[in-house]
Each structure stands twice: as C-alpha cells, then as structure tokens.
C-alpha cells in the first residue's frame, strides 16, 4: 500500500504575522517558513502506518515555489520515501490545490491520502474535503486516531467534533485529514537527514498535470484584525453589571 | 482559531514558572588570611599609601558573634552555622522627616511604604534573601536619582539599587533596612540610530521591551537571558550579565558604548558616548559594568545592537564523553565560526532531572547519552546556513564526535530544545535542596570538577553540570533530598579551592552580591581587592551604596 501526504510550506507558526503595507497579502520576505504543523502530524501518521507494516511507501507532495524543496527535505528526513514538488510561483486556493492533488493521485494510485486538517496560514480547512470529493473517495476529517484493517480494507477513524468524538469506518482508498492530538511528530535525526539526501524529489509543473488553474476567487484586500481596545477598570460590581448590560449587551 | 491555539501553545515553552525557594546555605568564613594587605603595597618600587586605612583588614567571621548593636540573620537556609552580618551602626535609621523629604522631591506616589509592595521588593527572585526595608523610592529621572543620593549620603542612609530583582546572588535586595531605589520608571528609549545600531535608553527599560522595540527596527539586543521579561538593562549592565548570546556578541564590556551614572554623593557622571572608539583617558564606564550597584546608580545606557538576521538554526546533539563535547566546540568554532551563536551543554544527570520534573519535555534524541549539546547558528542565508550546519554535523557524526542528534525543523521544535536547557534551573528547584555554583574554568577542566565532586560525594547527592560551554562557564549544581551540614562541608570550600587552583572564577556571570562577597579572594588577589576597596572608598566614601555586597565585609567593618 502506498500513502500520499500533502505537506505545505507556511509562515512558521511562532512568527508574528505582518500584513503587507499594500494589503495584497501577508509579508513573507525574510520570514521563517516551516512545514504546516498539521501536515507534520499527517506525515507522522503515515510513517507510523508504514512502520507498523501496513504500508510500503510514503510519498510527500508539496505545491509551491522552489523553496518547497526544503519542506520536502524535512519530510524526507522525517522518513518519507520520496517527494514530489509541483513547482509554481503563484499561490493557489484550495480548489486548485485539490485538483492538482487529484491528478497526482491518479498517477500514483495511493490507497490513503493524508492531509492536515487545515494550513495555519489561510485556515481554509477545505483541501482534504475537496480532494475526496473530486476523487469520489470517502473522507474522514479531524482525525485524532487512525486504525487500519488491512484485510477488510477499511480505516477506523476517531474524529474530533464539537462536544466529543465521532468514530467512522471508511473504505479504502480514502482521504484522512489530521487534527492536533493525533500524534506527536518525530524530529529529524542526523542519520535520517543524511539518508534524506539521497532520496529523490520529482519536479512537476501544473502544465504536466494538465490542471486548470483558473480561479474563480479574487482576493480584494488583506487587512490586520482590528486592534483590541484596552480594558477599563470598573469601580464596583454594579458598574460592571451595568456595562455588561448596556455597553456589551451580554447580560 | 486553531492557528491561534497552536501559536499560543508554543509560547509557554520558553519560560518556566518562577522557581520556588532556593535554600543555599552560606559558608561564613574564609580560611585564607589576608590580614594586612590593605594598608600598603608596593608596585615597581613606588610606594603607595592606600586610602582605605580605616577599613578593618581582617576577615570578619560573622559567627564569632560580636554582640554589638543589631545582629541580623539574613540567611538561614541549609546550614546551621548560617552567616550573620552586622548592620553597620554608622548608618542612620530612616525617620519621618526623611520620608517627607523624599515625598517632596518625588511626589507621594513614588515613595512606596505599602507593605505588600515592600515585601516583594525586599525578597529576591529565589526567595532566598530577604531584607526589611521600610521604603522604596521610584525616581523618574536622573535629577531625582541625584537628589535622592545626595540626601542619603548626607544623612548616611544606606541604599540598595534595584532593577528587575532577578539577580541570583542576593545583590538586589536589602540586607537590613537599606532604602530601595528602583529605577523602573525610567523606562524610555531616548534614541536609536538605524545606521550604527546604537541604542540609547534609560536604565529601567526591561530587556524584553527593548528587544521588542528593536524588532520593529530589524535589530536585536546583543544579550539574551531567561530573565528577560523582568530584568532591566541597568541591572544587566550592573551585573555584567552574560547569557546566551555572549559567545557571538561578546560581553557588555564590549557592547556597552556609554553610561550615565550617579555616584553616592549625587554627582552625575555623563559618560554616555555612542562611539565605538574613544581612547581619551581612563574608560570609567567599565567600573560600573559589573560592580553590582556598589559604585553608583546607572541611569542611562548606550549600547551597540545587532541587525536581526533571518536564519536561525538549532541542533540538539548527543555526545558520548566530555572530550567529544570539547573537540566538537573547537570544530564548531572552526567550521561554523561566523554563524555560531550558542554552544550550550548539559550532562545526562541534568537531562534526567528535566525529564523527571518538567511536564511535556522529551529527550529529542532516541538514545540516552552522557552529554547533550545545543548548537545554534544565526546568519543571513537560510539555505546556506542550514547546509553548513548539516554538513558540519554529518561530518562530526562520521568522525564519531557526535553519536546522535536532531535539527529543529521549525521554531516550535527549537523552543522545545531550548526548554530543556533553560528548564534545568526550574527542575532543580523542584527536585529538593540544591547547592548552586557558577564557575568559569578552562574548557578542558570544566567537567573534571563535576567528576571529582561526584567521587567525593558518592551517594550523598546528585551532582550535575551544565552551562555555557562555549564561554567556559559551568553551572555546577548539587541536588540532594535536603540540606545538611555534612554535605555542605564536603562541597565548600572544596569547590572554591578547586576553582581557585585551576585559575577559574567563582562567579562567571552572576556576580558576588551578598552570597559570595567574602569569597572574592578565591578569584582575586589581595592586591587587586585592595584597589577595588580604594575605588569603592573614592566613589562612595561613606559606603552607603549597596553595603555588605561584592567586597568582603571585613573591609568595611567598623
Ligand atoms: C531565570 C533567570 C535566568 C538568568 N540567566 C542569566 C544568564 O543567562 N546570564 C547571566 O549573566 N545572568 C542570568 N541571570 C541573573 C542576572 O544577573 C539577572 O537576571 C540580570 O542581569 C539582573 O538584572 P535585574 O534588572 O533583575 O537586576 P537586579 O536583580 O535588580 O539587580 C542586580 C544587581 O545590580 C544592581 N543594580 C540593578 N539595577 C541597577 C542600576 N540601575 N544601577 C546600579 N545598580 C543596579 C543591584 O543592586 C544588584 O546588585 C538570570 C536570572 C534568572 C532569574
């Protein structure tokens, strides 16, 4: 069995996000970029499945500018067997990414596709669902536990939903998106970094994959959230209640 | 939402909670005799008469208990023979006229008599040293500092300069009833030159606030330490704080370009230059760097900051023996030279302690080894720097210098590696009694003292070594279930003598404060200390500035 894992290069989550002065997007110049944390979790899960003997190969895919190779190298150093880099200088919205992943899936024929439940830059939480829909595969999103049954060819997935867990059984091939508590990703060790150097990364372009990249979404403006107003000290409980009632309108 | 949640969860990593009580006992006597050194000394045939003649030249053994005046036990932990210092009877006691005067110059608000606030200001960060001051003054500018000191000097009221109160040797809190002068309200950035990177600011600026300010300009402070959220730049200068970036940017003696300080009699010394080069006479600002508030109150600082570089990489490495750590350091300097920004080490006992006492910490490498090293690089080219670090580590792995290791792939991973190194202090507090030493030693000797002490103490205690290996700075810590005199007797003066024998320093970066004032002779000759005493006498004839600290009490007995 082969597992495909999508890994996105994003602004490191510990970096304070700055909006570009011209409001066309987020400033990424001289900013630390890392693998999206949910993608790391997705990759870790795929690796564990492989180590448990359920899969033979883990393939990491990244779509974006040339530096995505660094993200793929990280994936390979964690243990992925090979990488696919779809190089493009434009930044795509989830539907385009889903189309690209679909056409890669058609070539690679994986039985499982792992994605993070969302990327921490755009917070879209759409790509996994779209890939599943385009492929016509079952999907299990927000996974916090994944158990494979090789014989029955199904995956049992615990999902984190509001107020508790939902357990799903999906037939393979399937798409699974990962939540924070699924696992704790491993570090890239020196021996594995060394091994990663000889693992292949295949370059592709959007044209190779014959994907229509026309987007029907246009971004008009990116702005910072309004600054929080500073609080006020109230002198009594009565004043607090009065403010909650008449200013905040919450009681 | 989730992005926020995740970002937030990463933040808790860098700072541990405040440590609880650190119960380090004091060794009250020093066996080496230094009698008579203060009065005369000869240099190159010239005869100098020192002007400290009225200082008692014999070391004062507090426990011999002169029962004169007020005798106060200021430290009582961990040793039954706790040291006692006598309050200098020449100092006046605060009266209501003093308070009125201070209110006149500072305004009511900035003269603090509130018990709760005084309780905090009287107690040090480790909750180990506690004074009983009845007054804290919060001046807003140099002029006010000057007026306060002029008055205190004329009244012979002793004072203790206080910054963020994060010092680790009891220097920032009163021993008795000294008036606390805290410059925390003097927290303005005065100038920043984006060409030269020179920052001029008031002494009460909190280090982290300066770092945040500089971040918006694309610069960083040349020093960084765990206490950055509280400590003041004035406190850093006064302790000559080292920290994590020293290996890269050097000590404050190099990066501080100028100072303004007020001496005991209220004189304002304007040495606030912003020049990198200025060889005109004695460079007096250096006297105030690291003198722990004993010569004057620092009111303004001019400091050379560094451009913020975009590429930071961190590796957590395992080594099988100390010799490998040392060889790796030499190699790292040679191969990573221009990008090396930290080289920290810890032994496996320290690692175990952290794993056992801190939540959510895991050993980044899969195998247990005897030593772990953090190597950080800071440079301007992410791809190049990373390749360089990888190539260096892989070569070291092949050579057998390194037995395993990981490289952080994102900032969260880097924070969790730092958490191990920076969490040791906190873990030690949780583990029970701890005896702490901050030593400078030749790098090749550093771990010998740990081994020797382990042999000496056997099962009595857990001996740990960690620290800024790149700077030759060992934090030697002895952790035991509880304090006991037998153990202490085996540690001291052994550790000080050992350090002295190897020409090390008994205080690499924390200073002497009240904790080690009497131990200075282990690292400085009597002749040197005599000059220090003369300088103290010159700048502070009545000894009102931070008494009982830094220099041996004997020199100031009455
Ligand atoms: C968690 C933690 C980590 C630390 N890590 C390091 C480290 O890596 N490296 C290191 O070197 N130190 C370290 N320290 C100790 C370090 O000395 C202090 O954190 C810091 O430099 C002191 O600054 P402060 O403003 O808190 O000064 P305080 O603690 O208030 O005072 C320290 C001394 O300076 C004097 N002083 C303070 N302000 C002035 C002033 N304006 N004028 C004259 N004298 C003044 C005081 O009288 C006292 O003697 C650490 C401490 C903690 C709690």
């Amino acid at each position: 069995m082969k597992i495909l894992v999508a890994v996105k290069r994003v602004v490191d989550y510990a970096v304070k996000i700055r909006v570009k002065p011209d409001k066309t997007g987020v400033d990424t110049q001289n900013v630390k970029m890392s693998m999206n944390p949910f993608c790391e979790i997705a990759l870790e899960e795929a690796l564990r499945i492989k180590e448990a003997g359920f899969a033979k190969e883990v393939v990491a895919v990244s779509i974006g500018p040339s530096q995505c190779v660094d993200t793929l190298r990280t994936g390979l150093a964690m243990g992925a067997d090979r990488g696919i880099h779809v190089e493009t200088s434009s930044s795509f919205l989830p539907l385009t990414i889903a189309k690209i992943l679909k056409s890669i899936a058609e070539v690679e024929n994986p039985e499982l596709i792992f994605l993070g439940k969302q990327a921490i830059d755009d917070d879209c939480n759409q790509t996994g669902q779209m890939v599943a829909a385009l492929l016509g595969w079952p999907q299990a999103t927000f996974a916090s536990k994944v158990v494979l049954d090789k014989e029955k060819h199904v995956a049992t997935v615990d999902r984190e939903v509001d107020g508790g867990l939902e357990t799903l059984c999906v037939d393979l091939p399937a798409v699974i998106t990962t939540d924070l508590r699924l696992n704790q990703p491993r570090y890239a060790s020196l021996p594995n970094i060394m091994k990663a150097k000889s693992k292949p990364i295949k370059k592709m372009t959007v044209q190779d994959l014959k994907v229509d990249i026309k987007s029907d979404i246009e971004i008009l403006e990116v702005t910072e959230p309004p600054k929080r107003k500073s609080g006020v000290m109230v002198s009594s409980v009565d004043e607090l209640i009065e403010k909650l009632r008449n200013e905040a309108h919450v009681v | 939402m989730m992005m926020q949640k995740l970002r937030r969860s990463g933040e808790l990593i860098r700072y541990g909670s405040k440590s609880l009580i650190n119960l380090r006992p004091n060794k009250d006597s020093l066996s080496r005799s230094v009698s008579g050194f203060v009065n005369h000394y000869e240099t190159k045939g010239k005869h100098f008469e020192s002007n400290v003649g009225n200082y008692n030249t014999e070391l004062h053994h507090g426990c011999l208990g002169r029962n004169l005046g007020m005798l106060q036990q200021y430290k009582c932990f961990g040793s039954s023979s706790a040291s006692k210092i006598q309050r200098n009877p020449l100092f006046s006691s605060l009266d209501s006229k003093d308070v009125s005067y201070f209110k006149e110059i500072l305004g009511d608000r900035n003269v603090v008599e509130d018990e709760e606030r005084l309780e905090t200001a009287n107690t040090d960060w480790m909750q180990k040293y506690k004074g009983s001051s009845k007054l804290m003054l919060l001046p807003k500018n140099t002029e006010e500092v000057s007026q306060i000191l002029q008055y205190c000097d004329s009244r012979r009221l002793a004072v203790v300069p206080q910054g963020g109160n994060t010092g680790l040797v009891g220097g920032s809190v009163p021993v008795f009833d000294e008036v606390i002068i805290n410059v925390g309200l003097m927290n303005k950035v005065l100038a920043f030159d984006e060409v030269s990177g020179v920052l001029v600011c008031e002494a009460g600026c909190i280090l982290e606030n300066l770092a945040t300010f500089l971040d918006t300009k694309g610069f960083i402070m040349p020093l960084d330490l765990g206490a950055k959220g509280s400590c003041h730049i004035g406190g850093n200068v006064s302790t000559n704080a080292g920290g994590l970036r020293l290996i890269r940017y050097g000590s404050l003696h190099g990066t501080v370009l100028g100072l303004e300080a007020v001496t005991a009699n209220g004189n304002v010394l304007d040495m606030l230059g912003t020049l990198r080069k200025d060889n005109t006479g004695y460079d007096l600002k250096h006297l105030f760097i690291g003198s722990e508030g004993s010569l004057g109150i620092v009111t303004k600082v001019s400091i050379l900051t560094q451009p913020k570089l975009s590429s930071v990489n961190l590796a957590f490495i395992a080594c099988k023996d100390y010799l490998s750590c040392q060889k790796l350091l030499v190699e790292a300097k040679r191969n990573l030279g221009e990008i090396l920004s930290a080289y920290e080490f810890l032994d496996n006992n320290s690692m175990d302690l952290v794993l056992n006492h801190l939540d959510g910490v895991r050993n980044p490498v899969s195998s247990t080894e005897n030593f772990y090293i953090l190597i950080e690089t800071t440079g301007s080219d992410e791809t190049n720097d990373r390749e360089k670090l990888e190539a260096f580590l892989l070569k070291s792995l092949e050579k057998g210098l390194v037995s395993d290791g990981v490289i952080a792939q994102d900032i969260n991973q880097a924070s969790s590696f730092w958490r191990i190194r920076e969490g040791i202090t906190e873990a030690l507090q949780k583990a029970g009694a701890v005896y702490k030493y901050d030593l400078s030693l030749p790098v090749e000797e550093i771990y010998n003292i740990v081994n020797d002490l382990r042999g000496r103490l056997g099962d009595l205690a857990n001996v740990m070594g960690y620290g800024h290996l790149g700077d030759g700075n060992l934090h030697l810590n002895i952790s035991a279930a509880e304090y006991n005199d037998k153990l202490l007797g085996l540690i001291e003066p052994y550790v000080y003598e050992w350090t002295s024998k190897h020409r090390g320093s008994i205080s690499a970066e924390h200073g002497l404060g009240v904790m080690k004032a009497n131990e200075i002779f282990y690292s400085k000759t009597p002749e040197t200390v005599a000059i220090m005493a003369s300088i103290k006498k010159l700048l502070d004839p009545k000894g009102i500035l931070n008494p009982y600290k830094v220099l041996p009490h004997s020199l100031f007995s009455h």
Side-chain angles (χ1 to χ4, degrees):
Chain A
M1 177 167 109
K2 186 194 285 181
I3 305 179
L4 196 67
V5 185
V7 295
K8 184 173 183 183
R9 178 173 178 272
V10 297
V11 173
D12 191 286
Y13 87 74
V15 168
K16 190 178 178 307
I17 301 289
R18 288 212 184 88
V19 172
K20 285 190 203 157
D22 65 4
K23 298 187 177 174
T24 54
V26 166
D27 194 356
T28 52
Q29 280 279 311
N30 272 333
V31 169
K32 167 84 179 164
M33 307 291 283
S34 302
M35 189 189 290
N36 177 40
F38 292 106
C39 299
E40 245 182 307
I41 295 169
L43 179 56
E44 174 66 32
E45 197 62 19
L47 295 172
R48 288 185 189 188
I49 289 171
K50 184 187 160 191
E51 282 160 0
F54 291 122
K56 282 221 158 50
E57 192 182 30
V58 173
V59 182
V61 186
S62 193
I63 303 160
S66 59
Q67 299 94 321
C68 283
V69 170
D70 295 340
T71 312
L72 285 171
R73 287 266 167 241
T74 295
L76 298 178
M78 283 173 71
D81 299 290
R82 61 190 168 88
I84 298 175
H85 178 203
V86 182
E87 191 166 354
T88 158
S89 53
S90 20
S91 65
F92 295 135
L93 290 162
L95 183 58
T96 312
I97 300 289
K99 285 179 186 164
I100 294 171
L101 290 174
K102 172 186 179 251
S103 74
I104 291 175
E106 282 166 356
V107 180
E108 292 284 340
N109 286 315
E111 265 179 282
L112 258 177
I113 302 181
F114 270 108
L115 303 92
K117 72 165 184 181
Q118 71 195 65
I120 61 163
D121 51 1
D122 56 23
D123 276 348
C124 280
N125 186 350
Q126 295 166 344
T127 310
Q129 294 87 327
M130 288 176 172
V131 174
L134 290 174
L135 286 167
W137 292 3
Q139 59 177 288
T141 52
F142 312 150
S144 64
K145 188 176 172 201
V146 176
V147 179
L148 283 194
D149 187 327
K150 229 175 147 184
E151 314 224 306
K152 294 202 189 110
H153 228 64
V154 294
T156 309
V157 178
D158 284 357
R159 306 181 61 228
E160 296 201 14
V161 292
D162 278 351
L165 290 180
E166 182 184 52
T167 306
L168 291 184
C169 223
V170 290
D171 290 330
L172 301 184
V175 173
I176 297 177
T177 75
T178 55
D179 214 325
L180 201 58
R181 272 163 287 272
L182 178 60
N183 59 46
Q184 192 176 32
R186 69 196 61 193
Y187 298 126
S189 72
L190 292 180
N192 284 337
I193 290 172
M194 180 120 81
K195 276 186 219 146
K197 295 207 182 290
S198 53
K199 292 178 182 173
I201 295 179
K202 186 167 147 196
K203 288 243 182 229
M204 300 180 100
T205 63
V206 183
Q207 290 74 35
D208 296 339
L209 293 163
K210 301 194 176 59
V211 175
D212 169 22
I213 56 169
K214 202 165 84 273
S215 171
D216 41 18
I217 292 179
E218 186 190 351
I219 293 180
L220 299 178
E221 191 176 86
V222 177
T223 56
E224 297 208 11
K227 291 241 176 346
R228 245 187 90 213
K229 285 202 213 113
S230 59
V232 286
M233 289 297 276
V234 291
S235 53
S236 66
V237 175
D238 289 341
E239 192 190 337
L240 176 66
I241 291 171
E242 192 270 327
K243 281 196 188 301
L244 289 175
R245 185 166 292 144
N246 300 325
E247 281 180 27
H249 305 290
V250 290
V251 289
Chain B
M1 253 325 271
M2 182 45 77
M3 160 167 142
Q4 266 182 359
K5 201 151 123 199
L6 200 61
R7 282 182 202 280
R8 229 179 294 126
S9 73
E11 277 165 21
L12 52 95
I13 287 167
R14 194 79 191 216
Y15 305 105
S17 59
K18 255 195 168 189
S19 316
L20 290 172
I21 308 176
N22 176 2
L23 311 174
R24 188 196 158 318
N26 176 63
K27 188 73 183 165
D28 46 76
S29 63
L30 178 69
S31 41
R32 216 198 289 185
S33 165
V34 292
S35 299
F37 73 87
V38 186
N39 290 331
H40 315 271
Y41 46 90
E42 281 191 329
T43 312
K44 290 193 177 155
K46 268 204 175 167
H47 190 91
F48 294 97
E49 190 76 41
S50 125
N51 62 354
V52 291
N54 59 344
Y55 288 5
N56 190 333
T57 55
E58 261 167 277
L59 282 178
H60 168 210
H61 295 217
C63 278
L64 298 181
R66 310 188 193 184
N67 30 0
L68 296 164
M70 184 172 164
L71 199 69
Q72 186 169 335
Q73 189 169 322
Y74 72 99
K75 270 193 281 187
C76 54
F77 301 119
S79 162
S80 57
S81 59
S83 162
K84 294 178 180 75
I85 304 175
Q86 201 184 4
R87 183 182 183 278
N88 183 342
L90 296 177
F91 291 145
S92 310
S93 297
L94 193 74
D95 64 29
S96 59
K97 280 206 293 278
D98 300 326
V99 178
S100 316
Y101 177 78
F102 292 132
K103 285 185 175 166
E104 225 169 87
I105 46 176
L106 303 179
D108 290 5
R109 271 180 71 136
N110 297 329
V111 176
V112 179
E113 294 176 280
D114 174 69
E115 273 184 28
E116 237 172 77
R117 289 177 71 186
L118 284 175
E119 168 84 14
T120 313
N122 268 308
T123 315
D124 84 319
W125 187 84
M126 302 176 292
Q127 307 205 0
K128 174 176 161 189
Y129 300 96
K130 202 164 177 200
S132 51
S133 176
K134 297 275 177 287
L135 195 68
M136 174 162 68
L137 303 177
L138 307 172
K140 293 183 297 298
N141 52 49
T142 307
E143 181 55 26
E144 289 182 357
V145 174
S146 166
Q147 280 176 291
I148 295 170
L149 285 179
Q150 201 174 0
Y151 180 84
C152 291
D153 196 50
S154 66
R155 273 274 291 131
R156 258 190 201 264
L157 279 172
V159 303
V160 51
Q162 186 173 80
N165 198 9
T166 65
L168 299 174
V169 289
S172 53
V173 292
V175 177
F176 300 102
D177 57 346
E178 298 91 279
V179 173
I180 301 167
I181 303 178
N182 188 307
V183 295
L185 295 180
M186 297 177 60
N187 56 8
K188 285 188 286 296
V189 170
L190 301 172
F192 180 66
D193 182 337
E194 300 199 23
V195 178
S196 63
V198 177
L199 171 77
V200 184
C201 65
E202 291 182 316
C205 291
I206 290 174
L207 181 60
E208 189 165 45
N209 294 348
L210 291 177
T212 310
F213 166 80
L214 288 174
D215 192 60
T216 63
K217 308 274 178 195
F219 284 79
I220 59 164
M221 288 297 281
L223 77 162
D224 181 21
L225 37 118
K228 64 167 158 272
S230 307
C231 62
H232 295 179
I233 189 67
N236 298 145
V237 167
S238 302
T239 55
N240 187 20
L244 305 167
R245 290 187 185 146
L246 190 132
I247 190 173
R248 177 67 170 270
Y249 301 118
S251 95
L252 289 173
H253 280 293
T255 53
V256 170
L257 301 181
L259 288 180
E260 179 189 78
V262 184
T263 53
N265 61 4
N267 252 356
V268 179
L269 299 186
D270 179 353
M271 307 168 283
L272 201 60
T274 54
L275 309 170
R276 292 209 65 180
K277 304 177 83 171
D278 174 18
N279 289 351
T280 49
Y282 305 145
D283 198 344
L284 290 185
K285 68 170 182 280
H286 290 292
L287 280 179
F288 296 87
I289 302 175
S291 56
E292 304 179 55
S294 64
L295 299 180
I297 296 190
V298 175
T299 45
K300 286 175 192 149
V301 177
S302 120
I303 188 166
L304 183 64
T305 70
Q306 298 291 334
K308 183 183 173 167
L309 302 180
S310 57
S311 137
V312 178
N313 286 297
L314 183 68
F316 195 96
I317 303 300
C319 289
K320 61 179 187 311
D321 52 29
Y322 181 72
L323 193 63
S324 305
C325 301
Q326 193 189 312
K327 282 188 184 159
L328 191 68
L329 171 63
V330 176
E331 296 279 308
K333 283 184 176 168
R334 203 170 284 283
N335 292 285
L336 300 173
E338 76 285 6
I339 53 170
L340 185 64
S341 56
Y343 193 98
E344 299 283 316
F345 94 113
L346 54 141
D347 61 11
N348 192 40
N349 293 34
S350 309
M351 172 66 95
D352 268 348
L353 193 86
V354 171
L355 295 178
N356 288 333
H357 289 96
L358 302 185
D359 291 335
V361 174
R362 59 174 162 151
N363 187 345
V365 295
S366 43
S367 51
T368 303
E369 268 300 355
N370 292 321
F371 294 92
Y372 302 95
I373 307 235
L374 281 100
I375 299 181
E376 188 193 70
T377 65
T378 304
S380 52
D381 186 329
E382 178 73 36
T383 315
N384 258 353
D385 294 356
R386 190 165 189 99
E387 266 169 23
K388 202 164 178 162
L389 178 65
E390 275 180 14
F392 166 68
L393 291 174
L394 294 179
K395 206 171 81 194
S396 307
L397 189 69
E398 275 166 17
K399 280 198 212 160
L401 280 183
V402 159
S403 52
D404 199 354
V406 293
I407 300 181
Q409 303 294 318
D410 55 41
I411 299 177
N412 180 37
Q413 292 187 3
S415 307
S416 57
F417 299 172
W418 274 121
R419 170 71 178 142
I420 295 170
R421 166 64 186 85
E422 294 190 317
I424 302 173
T425 318
E426 195 187 331
L428 278 163
Q429 301 292 142
K430 293 189 176 175
V434 55
Y435 300 89
K436 284 177 159 294
Y437 302 89
D438 162 40
L439 312 171
S440 258
L441 285 165
V443 172
E444 65 274 17
E445 295 292 349
I446 277 193
Y447 211 71
N448 290 343
I449 188 169
V450 182
N451 282 331
D452 285 2
L453 200 62
R454 248 176 219 154
R456 193 173 158 88
L457 301 184
D459 297 339
L460 284 175
N462 182 10
V463 181
M464 271 152 290
Y466 64 92
H468 315 293
L469 190 64
D471 313 324
N473 183 183
L474 170 74
H475 291 313
L476 172 67
N477 283 255
I478 298 106
S479 172
E482 53 190 21
Y483 293 99
N484 77 72
D485 287 344
K486 181 175 168 227
L487 181 58
L488 180 63
L490 288 170
I491 303 170
E492 286 183 28
Y494 181 80
V495 167
Y496 293 136
E497 284 168 356
W498 202 104
T499 306
S500 179
K501 197 171 89 197
H502 293 89
R503 295 189 68 88
S505 168
I506 59 158
S507 178
E509 59 175 14
H510 294 162
L512 295 167
V514 72
M515 172 189 175
K516 288 177 276 192
N518 278 337
E519 325 288 0
I520 192 170
F521 297 104
Y522 284 113
S523 295
K524 292 281 147 66
T525 63
E527 292 78 6
T528 323
V529 177
I531 296 209
M532 291 183 194
S534 315
I535 292 171
K536 167 76 177 170
K537 184 82 180 166
L538 181 71
L539 295 182
D540 179 18
K542 296 178 187 163
I544 62 160
L545 276 168
N546 224 359
Y548 325 107
K549 320 264 174 73
V550 188
L551 295 178
H553 311 142
S554 58
L555 299 180
F556 307 97
S557 306
H558 353 279

